[in-house]
């Protein structure tokens, strides 16, 4: 922070140490911009160069274009070759004098354009920018040359054809000169100044056409050279920084003076992702809150805006920063709030502060934010509610009602601040979000009852209850979400309190999320896994596969697969003390196969079972506890079966006990690792934190089931039957193709593969199960071809075919009200 005292008419600029910082002639000496009198400016030293977020966003776009060009050329080789041929033929039909002119312009421009731009930058005293431009040119030429050499030396012939247009290793797959020139003009910013923009387009266009005329490179290679050159120029510009055009404190003071607010002091308070904030003192003693928006910060928040638009269905918050749009939005909201009589600071001035900056001057409200208050009264809360009610009565929303945006002034009046991202003609959903966020904020600051009582007094029961469906973290602003993470029970308490004030009212729901982050990850991973699997299936003749299989063993595999549903049904009903109709439990397990198609292996089945038990009359907590018991017991017996069959797999035919040495080592190493981890207090606390709540739900339910031995036997028997039936399916699939393996070995392969499949985040363990089972069977001594065929048949019987009856079962249970 530098403190500078500026005196009128050519006085020196003095720093806080009283040393002259240089001669300054204020603009009013020539144009009368500043009123007479001294001005004290306290401002942070402005950086000479800034990294513009928009450059980084464009860099990502350039890389995306590069990747798209390569992929299109790779997968559509014939189409790309045809397009190259058509372009070459079209360009070759140009008149000879046009071709000559293009060659002359392109040849001269390759050297003439950089030289001319360099001279212009030297004249404008942009030597540092010239140096950055030359570095970008050199980098682009080196990178593109290295890429071309690498593709010619180590690249595949298909990639060489896609970029170079031929399989000759002497063909160039990139044009380094073109890419270097584009990198140079990108850093030099010649496209933003006349007449350099016209000259740049003419030279680059001529050079591209001449390159295509030569026929030495494919269109995709030219596209890659252009996009990579642009990307290198953008990254160089971002790393090196761009000379800032931000106005200084003196220029901000001059802009305020032109707007009719001459100042005596201007104090910088903070820098934001969109500009800076000042507190100005006018010559009348009034205080102004000044916000300066800078164009060189445009593009900030672009990634978050894209992610939010993909994730949320109806998001009316601000997107990537745009200076003019932000100015218009803030001014419109401020004037509308003033007309509505809402307690928000009045906008006094909106003005340009320089060629690439604007400012907004609001009246300054002195007071304390709610986040810093410890003595909030019910009247403070009621005033906050009345302020929001005023906005909503005029169809306006705030959209950022966190504790930092509620302010109590010195006279006890409550103000709303920070509403620049609100909306005019706000929708009902936006108003519900406002009410929900204010309710949450006030509950976090005080308690649930005070927040609900004051809200009900001001808005009424119906008005406050509108917040109920919007009490979701995703609907709230970022500061409020952070506060909720420290008090996770606050939303539950608010929902219960709102439900109590309207007993028996019909529940409403608003789905804000278009897609959850976990779902998006599943889609991406599932797509990759599906592509891998389909690529494998494309190389396999399924009809021939089924024809070569022994139909008797195939029938046995189908029978064992049907038995798994009986075992799965018993493994659930056995841990539910209440009586359940077996046929519906079986149908629920069949429906689970359909759910597994679009979710990880265990997650879909768990969701179906919990929902089924709830519809069967169980309390949600008991339903979750019953499914939890079933899952815990299934895990325990799965591990026991894995150890048992692992030992049995190493036992000789004469029944002598000779477990595999590798298995013994693995068991001992695992035991030592577990004991070592348990010796760490932090690990024990983490396990207690994660497992403790589960045990509190599962243990009482397990004790209840244990008091009924037949139910416990049914549950354990179902788990064993389920696993043994799946082992039988895999064994039959191996035998169907003439394979021969010990049943214990097959069991170990299945149990290990199922464990890996359960951990995979892909739908149904897609990709992971196939790879694990095929690798396990091959390692056990089975021929690789037979192993792959057996696994494909196994997945066909246990995963793909059951999704069809699973869909039917899901719909049938839904129509019957059982799901």
């Amino acid at each position: 922070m530098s403190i500078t005292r500026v005196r009128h008419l050519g006085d020196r600029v003095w720093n806080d140490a009283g040393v002259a910082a240089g001669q300054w002639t204020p603009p009013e000496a020539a144009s009368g911009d500043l009123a007479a009198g001294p001005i004290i400016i306290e401002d942070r030293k402005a950086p000479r160069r800034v990294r513009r977020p928009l450059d980084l966003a464009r860099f990502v776009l350039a890389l995306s274009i590069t990747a798209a060009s390569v992929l299109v050329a790779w997968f559509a080789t014939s189409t790309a070759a045809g397009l190259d041929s058509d372009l070459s033929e079209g360009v070759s039909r140009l008149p000879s004098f046009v071709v000559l002119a293009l060659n002359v312009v392109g040849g001269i421009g390759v050297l003439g354009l950089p030289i001319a731009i360099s001279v212009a930058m030297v004249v404008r005293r942009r030597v540092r920018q010239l140096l950055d431009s030359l570095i970008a040119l050199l980098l682009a030429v080196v990178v593109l040359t290295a890429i071309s050499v690498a593709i010619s030396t180590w690249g595949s012939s298909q990639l060489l054809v896609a970029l170079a247009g031929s399989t000759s290793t002497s063909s160039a797959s990139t044009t380094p000169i073109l890419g270097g020139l584009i990198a140079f003009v990108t850093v030099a910013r010649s496209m933003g100044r006349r007449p350099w923009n016209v000259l740049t387009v003419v030279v680059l266009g001529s050079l591209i056409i001449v390159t295509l005329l030569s026929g030495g490179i494919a269109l995709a290679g030219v596209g890659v050279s252009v996009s990579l050159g642009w990307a290198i120029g953008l990254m160089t510009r971002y790393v090196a920084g761009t000379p800032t055009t931000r106005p200084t404190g003196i220029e901000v003071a001059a802009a305020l003076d032109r707007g009719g607010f001459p100042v005596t002091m201007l104090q910088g308070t903070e820098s934001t992702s969109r500009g800076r904030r000042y507190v100005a003192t006018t010559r009348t003693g009034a205080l102004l809150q000044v916000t300066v928006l800078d164009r060189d910060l445009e593009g900030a928040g672009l990634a978050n805006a894209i992610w939010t638009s993909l994730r949320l269905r109806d998001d009316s918050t601000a997107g990537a920063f745009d200076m003019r749009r932000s100015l218009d939005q803030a001014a419109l909201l401020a004037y509308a709030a003033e007309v509505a009589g809402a307690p928000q600071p009045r906008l006094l001035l909106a003005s340009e502060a320089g060629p690439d900056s604007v400012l907004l001057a609001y009246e300054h409200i002195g007071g304390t934010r709610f986040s810093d208050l410890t003595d909030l009264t019910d009247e403070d809360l009621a005033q906050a509610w009345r302020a929001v009610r005023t906005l909503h009565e005029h169809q306006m929303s705030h959209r950022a009602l966190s504790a930092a945006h509620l302010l109590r002034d010195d006279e006890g009046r409550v103000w709303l601040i920070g509403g620049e991202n609100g909306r005019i003609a706000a929708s009902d959903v936006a108003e519900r979000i406002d009410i929900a966020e204010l309710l949450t904020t006030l509950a976090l600051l005080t308690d649930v009852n005070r927040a609900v009582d004051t809200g009900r007094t001001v808005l009424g029961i119906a008005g406050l209850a509108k917040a109920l469906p919007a009490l979701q973290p995703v609907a709230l602003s970022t500061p409020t979400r952070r506060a909720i993470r420290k008090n996770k029970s606050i939303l539950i308490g608010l929902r219960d309190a709102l439900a109590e004030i309207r007993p028996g009212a019909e529940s409403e729901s608003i789905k804000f999320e278009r897609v959850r982050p976990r779902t998006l990850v599943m889609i991406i991973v599932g797509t990759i896994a599906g592509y891998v699997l389909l690529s494998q299936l494309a190389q396999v003749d399924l009809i021939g596969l089924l024809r070569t299989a022994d139909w008797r063993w195939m029938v046995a595999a189908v029978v064992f697969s049907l038995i798994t549903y009986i075992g799965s049904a018993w493994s659930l009903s056995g841990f539910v003390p209440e009586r359940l109709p077996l046929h519906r439990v079986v149908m629920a397990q069949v429906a689970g196969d359909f759910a597994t198609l679009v979710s990880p292996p265990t997650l879909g089945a768990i969701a179906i079972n919990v929902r089924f038990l709830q519809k069967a009359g169980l309390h949600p907590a008991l339903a979750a506890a019953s499914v939890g018991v079933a899952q815990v017991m299934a895990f325990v017996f799965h591990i026991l079966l894995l150890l048992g069959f692992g030992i049995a797999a190493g036992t000789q035919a004469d029944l002598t006990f000779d477990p595999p040495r590798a298995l013994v080592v693995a068991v001992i190493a695992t035991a030592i690792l577990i004991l070592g981890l348990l010796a760490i207090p932090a690990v024990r606390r983490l396990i207690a934190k994660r497992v403790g709540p589960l045990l509190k739900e599962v243990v009482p339910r397990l004790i209840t089931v244990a008091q009924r031995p037949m139910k416990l036997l049914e549950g354990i028997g179902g788990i064993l039957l389920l696993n043994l039936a799946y082992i039988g399916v895999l064994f039959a699939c191996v035998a169907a193709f003439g394979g021969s393996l010990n049943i214990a070995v097959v069991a170990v392969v299945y149990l290990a593969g199922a464990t890996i499949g359960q951990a995979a985040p892909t739908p149904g363990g897609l990709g992971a199960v196939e790879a694990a089972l095929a690798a396990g069977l091959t390692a056990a001594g089975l021929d690789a071809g037979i192993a792959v065929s057996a696994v494909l048949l196994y997945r066909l019987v246990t995963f793909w075919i059951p999704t069809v009856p699973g869909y039917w079962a899901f719909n049938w249970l839904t129509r019957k009200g059982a799901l």
Side-chain angles (χ1 to χ4, degrees):
M1 176 79 74
S2 61
I3 302 176
T4 304
R5 181 177 298 275
V6 179
R7 297 188 184 276
H8 181 60
L9 290 179
D11 281 357
R12 289 183 180 274
V13 179
W14 301 91
N15 60 23
D16 51 351
V19 179
Q23 185 72 29
W24 174 70
T25 302
E28 78 279 9
S31 59
D33 280 344
L34 292 177
I39 302 174
I40 298 176
I41 299 176
E42 299 178 4
D43 194 7
R44 292 174 174 82
K45 184 178 181 180
R48 299 180 63 183
R49 304 176 73 86
V50 294
R51 292 188 174 96
R52 299 191 174 190
L54 199 57
D55 287 341
L56 190 60
R58 289 170 176 167
F59 170 74
V60 175
L61 175 62
L63 290 184
S64 301
I65 294 174
T66 302
S69 302
V70 174
L71 290 175
V72 169
W74 174 276
F75 290 105
T77 306
S78 299
T79 304
L83 183 60
D84 287 336
S85 176
D86 293 340
L87 284 174
S88 299
E89 183 179 354
V91 172
S92 64
R93 293 183 178 181
L94 291 174
S96 57
F97 71 90
V98 173
V99 175
L100 177 61
L102 290 173
N103 276 280
V104 171
V105 172
I108 296 176
V110 168
L111 292 176
L113 183 64
I115 293 174
I117 293 176
S118 299
V119 171
M121 282 193 288
V122 171
V123 172
R124 292 167 53 210
R125 297 182 180 179
R126 294 293 182 90
V127 179
R128 169 68 184 276
Q129 188 176 2
L130 172 60
L131 178 61
D132 295 340
S133 303
L134 294 174
I135 290 175
L137 187 150
L138 179 61
L139 282 175
V141 170
V142 171
V143 169
L144 289 172
T145 301
I147 290 175
S148 181
V149 172
I151 292 176
S152 300
T153 306
W154 298 291
S156 65
S157 58
Q158 185 175 356
L159 182 60
L160 192 59
V161 170
L163 298 181
S166 69
T167 57
S168 173
T169 56
S170 61
S171 299
S173 53
T174 61
T175 53
I177 299 300
L178 175 61
L181 188 58
I182 289 176
F184 178 86
V185 299
T186 299
V187 179
R189 293 184 174 273
S190 63
M191 293 298 294
R193 298 177 61 86
R194 294 182 178 180
W196 301 109
N197 53 355
V198 177
L199 292 175
T200 300
V201 171
V202 170
V203 171
L204 291 178
S206 301
L207 190 58
I208 291 173
I209 295 175
V210 169
T211 303
L212 293 175
L213 275 172
S214 66
I217 187 172
L219 178 63
V222 175
V224 168
S225 301
V226 171
S227 57
L228 270 183
W230 187 37
I232 293 171
L234 288 168
M235 180 50 62
T236 303
R237 197 165 74 183
Y238 182 78
V239 172
T242 302
T244 181
T245 57
R246 298 179 184 180
T248 62
I250 296 172
E251 292 172 318
V252 173
L256 290 171
D257 184 68
R258 289 193 301 271
F261 296 94
V263 299
T264 59
M265 178 177 290
L266 187 67
Q267 297 173 290
T269 56
E270 65 175 320
S271 295
T272 68
S273 61
R274 302 187 174 197
R276 293 154 290 159
R277 290 195 175 99
Y278 297 88
V279 173
T281 304
T282 66
R283 299 197 180 279
T284 61
L287 295 178
L288 303 178
Q289 186 72 45
V290 181
T291 299
V292 177
L293 304 178
D294 299 313
R295 190 182 298 277
D296 57 15
L297 291 177
E298 285 189 343
L302 178 61
N304 182 65
I306 294 174
W307 167 240
T308 302
S309 64
L310 289 174
R311 184 184 179 191
L312 302 184
R313 292 178 178 274
D314 180 25
D315 179 70
S316 57
T317 56
F321 171 61
D322 179 270
M323 186 188 74
R324 277 292 170 185
R325 186 177 61 198
S326 298
L327 173 70
D328 296 341
Q329 172 81 359
L332 177 62
L333 286 167
Y335 292 140
E338 183 178 357
V339 172
Q344 291 187 245
R346 289 189 304 124
L347 177 63
L348 303 176
L349 176 65
S351 171
E352 281 193 347
D356 294 310
S357 295
V358 294
L359 66 79
L360 295 156
Y362 298 87
E363 63 176 341
H364 180 78
I365 307 298
T368 308
R369 300 173 190 262
F370 274 27
S371 56
D372 300 324
L373 289 173
T374 57
D375 59 342
L376 285 171
T377 65
D378 287 348
E379 176 58 24
D380 295 333
L381 306 189
Q383 285 192 61
W385 283 115
R386 284 193 288 270
V388 173
R389 182 184 64 186
T390 301
L391 288 179
H392 290 180
E393 286 173 347
H394 294 81
Q395 282 74 54
M396 298 172 60
S397 66
H398 190 281
R399 290 310 303 270
L401 289 167
S402 62
H405 290 158
L406 299 170
L407 182 141
R408 187 178 70 187
D409 65 15
D410 299 333
E411 298 178 358
R413 187 182 180 190
V414 174
W415 296 78
L416 303 179
I417 59 177
E420 297 85 359
N421 292 330
R423 282 293 181 269
I424 303 295
S427 64
D428 177 68
V429 173
E431 294 181 0
R432 287 174 181 264
I433 293 174
D434 270 357
I435 298 172
E437 179 151 23
L438 182 58
L439 182 63
T440 304
T441 297
L442 298 181
L444 289 167
L445 293 171
T446 56
D447 58 65
V448 171
N449 292 332
R450 288 181 64 187
V452 172
D453 290 343
T454 53
R456 180 171 57 180
T457 301
V458 176
L459 301 180
I461 294 177
L464 184 63
K466 291 171 62 177
L468 184 57
L471 283 172
Q472 305 176 36
V474 69
L476 308 179
S477 64
T478 302
T480 306
R481 286 201 301 270
R482 291 198 190 104
I484 289 174
R485 294 192 190 106
K486 301 176 182 178
N487 189 354
K488 296 183 179 180
S489 62
I490 195 72
L491 291 183
I492 298 174
L494 288 172
R495 292 190 192 105
D496 293 341
L498 292 180
E500 289 177 1
I501 66 175
R502 292 188 67 190
E506 184 178 352
S507 61
E508 299 178 88
S509 62
I510 300 176
K511 190 173 182 180
F512 292 102
E513 287 185 297
R514 180 181 286 112
V515 59
R516 294 176 179 271
R518 183 178 300 176
T519 305
L520 186 61
V521 171
M522 285 173 48
I523 292 173
I524 295 173
V525 176
T527 301
I528 295 173
Y531 173 77
V532 173
L533 181 60
L534 290 176
S535 300
Q536 295 174 351
L537 291 176
Q539 301 174 5
V540 178
D541 182 7
L542 290 178
I543 303 299
L545 181 72
L546 296 177
R547 286 177 177 174
T548 58
D550 189 331
W551 67 268
R552 291 168 296 183
W553 283 110
M554 289 176 58
V555 171
V558 172
V559 171
F560 281 125
S561 179
L562 294 175
I563 294 175
T564 61
Y565 296 104
I566 304 295
S568 181
W570 283 347
S571 68
L572 176 64
S573 62
F575 297 104
V576 180
E578 294 78 7
R579 183 175 178 81
L580 298 172
L582 182 61
H583 71 284
R584 288 205 170 188
V585 182
V586 172
M587 291 290 286
Q589 308 314 302
V590 178
D593 282 339
F594 171 69
T596 302
L597 183 62
V598 292
S599 66
T602 306
L603 188 60
I606 289 177
I608 291 289
N609 287 334
V610 171
R611 181 71 174 172
F612 173 75
L613 293 181
Q614 290 180 10
K615 288 292 186 177
L618 272 71
H619 187 276
L622 293 178
S626 298
V627 175
V629 170
Q631 291 297 317
V632 170
M633 295 298 291
F635 174 76
V636 171
F637 278 91
H638 189 96
I639 297 300
L640 292 176
L641 286 172
L642 181 59
L643 292 175
F645 278 112
I647 294 173
T651 303
Q652 303 298 320
D654 59 359
L655 300 181
T656 57
F657 181 70
D658 185 18
R661 181 174 301 175
L663 179 63
V664 174
V665 173
V667 170
I668 295 175
T670 302
I672 294 174
L673 179 62
I674 293 174
L675 292 175
L677 291 175
L678 291 176
I680 303 173
V683 174
R684 292 200 302 270
R685 287 194 297 268
L686 179 62
I687 294 175
K689 181 180 178 181
R690 297 293 179 88
V691 180
L694 178 63
L695 293 179
K696 289 180 181 179
E697 294 181 0
V698 168
V699 172
R701 196 64 170 170
L702 184 59
I703 293 174
T704 302
V705 173
Q707 294 174 356
R708 303 178 63 179
M710 292 305 297
K711 273 287 183 181
L712 188 61
L713 181 62
E714 177 185 344
I716 295 175
I719 293 172
L720 295 175
L721 179 62
L722 176 66
N723 284 282
L724 293 176
Y726 272 123
I727 293 170
V729 174
L730 185 58
F731 184 84
C733 291
V734 171
F737 293 97
S740 178
L741 282 178
N742 187 293
I743 184 67
V745 174
V746 174
V748 170
V749 172
Y750 159 73
L751 293 168
T755 302
I756 296 174
Q758 298 294 335
T762 56
L766 200 63
V769 173
E770 289 83 358
L773 292 180
L777 292 176
T778 304
L782 194 65
D783 179 76
I786 295 178
V788 172
S789 300
V791 170
L792 290 176
L793 179 60
Y794 170 82
R795 291 292 276 173
L796 187 67
V797 172
T798 60
F799 179 69
W800 292 108
I801 293 179
T803 57
V804 178
Y807 176 75
W808 176 83
F810 184 87
N811 288 329
W812 184 82
L813 290 172
T814 302
R815 288 197 304 270
K816 295 296 182 180
L819 275 183

